[in-house]
Amino acid sequence: RESDHRAWTPVTYTVTRQNATVQGLTEGKAYFFRIAAENIIGMGPFTETPKELVIRDPITVPDRPEDLEVKAVTKNSVTLTWNPPKYNGGSDITMYVLESRLIGKEKFHRVTKEKMLDRKYTVEGLKEGDTYEYRVCACNIVGQGKPSFCTKPITCKDEIAPPTLDLDFRDKLIVRVGEAFSLTGRYSGKPAPKVTWLRDDIVLKEDNRTKIKTTPTTLCLGILKSVREDSGKYCVTVENSTGSRKGYCQVNVVDRPSPPVGPVIFDEVHKDHMIVSWKPPLDDGGSEITNYIIEKKDAHRDLWMPVTSATVKTTCKIPKLLEGREYQVRIYAENLYGISDPLISDEMKAKDRFSVPDAPEQPIIKDVTKDSAVVVWNKPYDGGKPITTYIVEKKETKATKWVRVTKDPIFPSTYFKVPDLLEGCEYEFRVSAENEIGVGDPSPPSKPIFARDPIAKPSPPINPEAVDKTKNSVDLSWHPPRHDGNGKIIGYLVEYQKVGDEDWKKANLTADSCPETKFKVTGLTEGLTYKFRVKAVNAAGESEPAYVPDPVEVKDRLEPPELILDANMAREQHVKAGDTLRLSAVIKGVPFPKVSWKKEDREVSPKADIEVTGVGSKLEIRNTVHEDGGVYSLTVENPAGSKTVSVKVVVLDKPGPPRNLQISEVRSDSCYLTWKEPEDDGGSVITNYVVERKDVASAQWLPISSSSKKRSHMAKYLIEGTQYLFRVAAENQYGRGPYVETIKPIKAIDPLHPPGPPKNLHHVDVDKTEVSLVWNRPDRDGGAEITGYLVEYQEDGADEWTKFQTVPMLDCVVTGL
């Protein structure tokens, strides 16, 4: 029975011997066996095997290994290989033992020291010229088997054999783009040759697409996903110390061609057809171009229409066009392996007549000298007919007339050197193109240029000198260089050097920070002595330096204050009220003086802005009023002295109110107004007075005079019995001042006063006893109608007057004389 089963299986019933062979067992399984004796009476009890028995073949030592061969021999090593024994003795081979015998010796010695299962071994460390025999044994768990047959005697020396090469490929190979290809072969040689692959004389190395595999007898180059650049002459070289062999293969990786080369040229344009041309593709895909496919399209539609697919020339006629429509043309190249991407033309209008060329783009001016310049431009569209010449014109920028620079034709060059320019003049240039139809529009004018030689570095500045100094600064001055190098002087660089030092330090970092011929060098140390130098700078660079002749000791110098008055302090200043008053002066003095402003010997108004700079001072009052007028003084003071200047400021404004307004001679229809001029005339002559009245019962003032220059006025046309108020204002050229009003109203009624004296009394006739008199009415009747005139006479020399009589008329005859 099987060891893992409980049921017994009979083997035989008729065994008369004391042994039996059990067949039909499974290799590797464990079994129990039992035996029972039987006679005519019956079967006796079974006897079992005490232990299970595993079924397997009997184990012995392995057979001898086979095919022991020498693969390589050098002067100090031997490489051997062998095959396993035909029978391993019923157990796996656990190792191989390689043994060797030096010819002339009797015993074999073990070569392999460690457990070795490989069937290839290189014996190293041998002596050149010695001869050996080798054998190998296989071992299993039982032990070491019989040795193999010995090798022939092997002498240690280098074997030499020239390389051989047997290739599996022909001289030429064509491959489609994207496909893989391989070049294979076999080789031999002793010592083992070196294998090298080249393409167009460049050594190939392995990468993502290039695979190189070399065994001791075979070689292989594989290219994955080939591209056009993989085309070329491939070479494999097999080389050792005895010589070399080479094999070649011309590989052509073919593909569809690249697009035709543009631009598409419209050689002829007509109302119903065009003739176009182009250039062949730069890459024909490794196969000759078989034909071109030409299509056309209305520029305003998306549909391409075939023209032809049979042309092999690089020119084609595009027929069946509609006049006035714009068309595009696209061209494909085709070879045996496919069709290229298209070359698409610009849009072109179908029209039957050619035009003059387009205007060129704005020309560029180069290589300018004092009498010449080179004009460069780009070729414009030729209007359908080849350009025959270019016309270049010039003009001075302030002129209006363009002048042709030459009568000779300019073609095919797109540049021209214009001669005979006037030095220092500013010029513009333009270009026109001409074909057989006519002259096209001119280009936009070029950027203006001055006719002058290229800029060189300037000469040094002239006569630099120290013109002023303080305890920490020095003021320098100089004259411009004699030669500016034909370029504008950008500015100057100032440098200084402490006496005894070697390095020069920059006083200003950039030339444009010093555009004038003077500079204040600051940050110096009091008491030290410095040297100074100045360089002029233009667009070409820096000039040689010009040196201040003598070193300068930095210290303060004393100069008494000096005031240089600006025009606003040179005389009495008049400023209109509301405007800004500005007083300023240039201040000199070393050290710089202390500055103070006063008004009438008092501090100036807080509203005044006072500014003090390193060269002067300024006082400014905004929105002036009359009170800002007066005498202003500016005082400057330093240890060397002081100086004061004054200026009278008059703020021009409207006048003040008139004074002492009085009313007299009130009547029923008039009254008499008098007043005095204002205390303040506003700085300008009073031009007139404005007189107004108002009924006390009314809110409105009514003008009664606006142009009176006198300080009195007779107010007429009053309404008897009405109460009135009066007011008066003065005016000058700056406006009307405030009014002065009467304190109490007056009532328009006549006062009762004696009448005024009659006027113009004279006699008209004289007799011996009487005189005829006449007179005129008096100016004033005293507020009541005149009832009569009293006539009196007086004898010459007497003191008393004698009444004659009262008469109602303006005449009287005095009698009784």
Side-chain angles (χ1 to χ4, degrees):
R1 68 177 175 89
E2 293 180 11
S3 61
D4 54 353
H5 291 176
R6 302 183 69 179
W8 290 92
T9 302
V11 176
T12 179
Y13 294 97
T14 57
V15 177
T16 59
R17 303 182 304 276
Q18 281 80 39
N19 58 66
T21 300
V22 181
Q23 297 182 348
L25 302 180
T26 304
E27 184 177 2
K29 282 197 173 185
Y31 292 89
F32 286 98
F33 299 90
R34 69 181 182 180
I35 304 170
E38 186 178 18
N39 60 16
I40 60 172
I41 303 300
M43 183 182 297
F46 282 95
T47 300
E48 294 185 18
T49 55
K51 295 181 181 180
E52 63 184 16
L53 183 64
V54 178
I55 303 304
R56 59 190 173 195
D57 289 336
I59 300 176
T60 64
V61 295
D63 288 350
R64 68 178 83 234
E66 297 186 347
D67 303 327
L68 177 62
E69 293 182 4
V70 178
K71 290 296 184 181
V73 178
T74 69
K75 64 184 179 180
N76 55 14
S77 69
V78 175
T79 301
L80 302 106
T81 64
W82 58 89
N83 290 327
K86 290 183 179 179
Y87 178 60
N88 60 8
S91 177
D92 291 338
I93 302 297
T94 58
M95 69 175 179
Y96 292 97
V97 175
L98 181 65
E99 297 175 326
S100 68
R101 183 177 70 87
L102 181 64
I103 299 299
K105 303 288 184 179
E106 293 183 0
K107 291 184 179 180
F108 277 87
H109 297 279
R110 183 170 176 171
V111 175
T112 54
K113 305 298 184 184
E114 298 178 356
K115 218 173 186 182
M116 182 182 70
L117 280 173
D118 289 341
R119 297 192 303 276
K120 179 178 181 180
Y121 189 78
T122 300
V123 183
E124 296 179 337
L126 303 180
K127 185 178 180 182
E128 185 177 4
D130 286 349
T131 303
Y132 294 89
E133 286 182 335
Y134 291 92
R135 69 184 184 184
V136 64
C137 304
C139 301
N140 62 8
I141 59 175
V142 177
Q144 181 173 322
K146 293 180 181 181
S148 67
F149 297 111
C150 291
T151 63
K152 294 179 180 180
I154 302 166
T155 302
C156 293
K157 61 179 181 180
D158 285 335
E159 293 186 8
I160 297 176
T164 64
L165 182 61
D166 183 16
L167 300 177
D168 298 332
F169 50 85
R170 297 183 179 179
D171 294 342
K172 293 184 180 180
L173 179 63
I174 296 177
V175 183
R176 289 292 297 268
V177 164
E179 294 180 353
F181 68 90
S182 64
L183 305 177
T184 60
R186 288 159 302 283
Y187 73 100
S188 65
K190 291 184 180 181
K194 178 184 177 182
V195 178
T196 306
W197 289 93
L198 301 97
R199 180 177 63 222
D200 295 332
D201 299 328
I202 298 175
V203 176
L204 291 175
K205 296 182 180 180
E206 278 200 308
D207 56 28
N208 291 337
R209 293 192 308 105
T210 303
K211 306 297 180 183
I212 299 174
K213 184 177 181 181
T214 304
T215 72
T217 59
T218 64
L219 47 84
C220 178
L221 169 68
I223 305 292
L224 307 177
K225 296 180 181 178
S226 60
V227 296
R228 284 279 296 139
E229 289 72 18
D230 292 329
S231 297
K233 187 175 184 180
Y234 286 76
C235 173
V236 59
T237 301
V238 180
E239 182 178 12
N240 67 7
S241 58
T242 64
S244 66
R245 291 290 301 275
K246 293 183 180 181
Y248 295 94
C249 181
Q250 181 69 42
V251 177
N252 188 15
V253 180
V254 295
D255 191 13
R256 61 180 187 143
S258 64
V261 176
V264 177
I265 299 173
F266 291 87
D267 297 313
E268 295 184 25
V269 178
H270 301 276
K271 66 180 180 180
D272 58 352
H273 72 277
M274 302 175 184
I275 296 178
V276 298
S277 61
W278 60 94
K279 294 181 180 178
L282 294 176
D283 180 11
D284 63 4
S287 178
E288 184 178 354
I289 302 297
T290 58
N291 60 285
Y292 292 96
I293 301 171
I294 295 92
E295 296 176 338
K296 67 181 179 182
K297 180 177 80 73
D298 190 321
H300 301 290
R301 299 177 63 186
D302 295 329
L303 180 63
W304 287 93
M305 302 294 292
V307 176
T308 181
S309 60
T311 183
V312 294
K313 297 180 180 179
T314 56
T315 182
C316 179
K317 179 179 179 182
I318 313 298
K320 299 180 182 179
L321 306 182
L322 297 177
E323 185 174 7
R325 295 283 184 90
E326 291 184 338
Y327 289 90
Q328 282 182 289
V329 178
R330 71 180 180 186
I331 304 161
Y332 300 87
E334 185 174 7
N335 64 8
L336 291 174
Y337 302 100
I339 300 173
S340 71
D341 291 332
L343 165 66
I344 301 178
S345 72
D346 295 331
E347 296 178 2
M348 175 59 67
K349 183 179 290 187
K351 54 185 180 181
D352 198 21
R353 61 185 181 278
F354 298 100
S355 63
V356 297
D358 288 351
E361 297 175 355
Q362 184 184 39
I364 299 173
I365 311 304
K366 297 181 179 179
D367 301 335
V368 180
T369 68
K370 65 181 180 181
D371 59 0
S372 69
V374 176
V375 183
V376 182
W377 63 92
N378 291 326
K379 178 183 176 182
Y381 170 61
D382 59 11
K385 288 290 186 180
I387 293 174
T388 57
T389 187
Y390 292 101
I391 298 171
V392 180
E393 297 174 299
K394 69 179 180 182
K395 79 174 182 70
E396 295 185 25
T397 51
K398 295 182 180 180
T400 57
K401 185 179 179 181
W402 289 91
V403 180
R404 191 163 174 170
V405 300
T406 180
K407 294 182 180 179
D408 297 330
I410 304 173
F411 191 79
S413 299
T414 54
Y415 62 90
F416 184 75
K417 183 175 182 179
V418 180
D420 304 328
L421 302 181
L422 296 178
E423 184 175 3
C425 288
E426 189 178 28
Y427 288 94
E428 292 177 319
F429 301 88
R430 70 181 187 183
V431 182
S432 307
E434 183 179 2
N435 62 10
E436 64 182 63
I437 306 300
V439 179
D441 292 334
S443 68
S446 67
K447 293 181 180 179
I449 59 97
F450 283 96
R452 55 190 176 199
D453 286 334
I455 297 175
K457 292 182 180 180
S459 61
I462 299 173
N463 296 334
E465 58 180 343
V467 296
D468 197 3
K469 63 181 180 179
T470 68
K471 64 182 180 181
N472 57 9
S473 68
V474 172
D475 288 3
L476 302 177
S477 177
W478 59 89
H479 295 290
R482 287 189 175 88
H483 305 290
D484 60 8
N486 295 319
K488 179 182 177 182
I489 298 297
I490 300 171
Y492 299 89
L493 290 175
V494 180
E495 298 177 339
Y496 62 93
Q497 180 193 59
K498 188 165 62 175
V499 172
D501 288 354
E502 294 183 0
D503 295 334
W504 287 87
K505 297 182 179 179
K506 291 184 179 294
N508 60 325
L509 297 178
T510 59
D512 54 10
S513 62
C514 177
E516 300 180 356
T517 56
K518 60 182 179 180
F519 190 77
K520 177 185 284 292
V521 181
T522 58
L524 305 178
T525 303
E526 185 175 7
L528 296 181
T529 303
Y530 293 87
K531 296 179 181 179
F532 298 90
R533 68 184 186 184
V534 185
K535 301 176 183 178
V537 181
N538 66 6
E542 303 174 5
S543 72
E544 292 296 319
Y547 292 84
V548 174
D550 299 317
V552 180
E553 183 180 359
V554 178
K555 63 180 181 180
D556 272 338
R557 57 182 177 82
L558 288 178
E559 287 186 4
E562 182 180 353
L563 284 170
I564 302 174
L565 301 182
D566 292 345
N568 54 30
M569 290 189 68
R571 56 185 181 277
E572 181 176 285
Q573 292 298 306
H574 289 200
V575 60
K576 187 176 180 181
D579 288 352
T580 299
L581 169 66
R582 291 184 179 87
L583 303 176
S584 58
V586 175
I587 301 172
K588 294 184 177 180
V590 180
F592 191 78
K594 177 184 177 183
V595 179
S596 62
W597 289 87
K598 301 283 186 180
K599 177 188 175 187
E600 313 288 358
D601 295 329
R602 295 190 300 272
E603 295 295 327
V604 296
S605 169
K607 65 185 281 188
D609 292 331
I610 297 175
E611 179 184 351
V612 179
T613 66
V615 295
S617 181
K618 179 174 69 173
L619 178 142
E620 188 174 278
I621 299 177
R622 297 180 179 86
N623 299 317
T624 51
V625 295
H626 185 70
E627 291 73 15
D628 292 326
V631 177
Y632 288 80
S633 62
L634 169 61
T635 301
V636 291
E637 182 178 8
N638 71 2
S642 65
K643 189 170 185 180
T644 301
V645 294
S646 300
V647 61
K648 182 179 179 182
V649 175
V650 177
V651 179
L652 303 174
D653 196 1
K654 298 177 290 188
R659 298 175 294 144
N660 197 19
L661 176 60
Q662 300 289 334
I663 300 178
S664 61
E665 300 181 22
V666 179
R667 300 287 185 272
S668 61
D669 61 350
S670 65
C671 64
Y672 193 63
L673 283 71
T674 59
W675 60 87
K676 293 184 179 179
E677 62 186 10
E679 288 186 357
D680 177 16
D681 61 3
S684 179
V685 177
I686 301 295
T687 57
N688 59 283
Y689 293 94
V690 177
V691 183
E692 295 182 347
R693 75 180 187 194
K694 185 181 78 163
D695 186 337
V696 293
S698 172
Q700 183 177 5
W701 288 91
L702 300 175
I704 58 177
S705 175
S706 60
S707 58
S708 174
K709 298 186 184 323
K710 298 186 297 180
R711 294 187 295 276
S712 63
H713 184 74
M714 177 66 74
K716 298 180 179 180
Y717 311 113
L718 305 181
I719 300 174
E720 187 173 3
T722 302
Q723 289 185 324
Y724 291 96
L725 288 171
F726 294 89
R727 68 180 185 182
V728 181
E731 285 188 352
N732 63 11
Q733 70 180 86
Y734 300 105
R736 180 181 301 174
Y739 286 92
V740 59
E741 294 185 20
T742 54
I743 300 174
K744 295 180 180 180
I746 58 99
K747 190 173 185 179
I749 57 174
D750 288 333
L752 297 179
H753 298 293
K759 298 176 69 177
N760 197 20
L761 171 65
H762 60 281
H763 64 275
V764 295
D765 193 13
V766 179
D767 202 353
K768 62 181 181 179
T769 58
E770 57 184 36
V771 175
S772 296
L773 301 172
V774 295
W775 59 89
N776 294 331
R777 293 175 60 86
D779 287 336
R780 299 185 300 277
D781 59 6
E785 185 179 353
I786 294 176
T787 58
Y789 297 93
L790 175 61
V791 181
E792 295 178 330
Y793 63 90
Q794 181 188 54
E795 186 176 349
D796 188 20
D799 294 329
E800 298 292 333
W801 285 89
T802 303
K803 292 183 178 179
F804 175 65
Q805 68 179 25
T806 300
V807 297
M809 304 303 290
L810 296 176
D811 57 58
C812 177
V813 177
V814 180
T815 61
L817 300 177

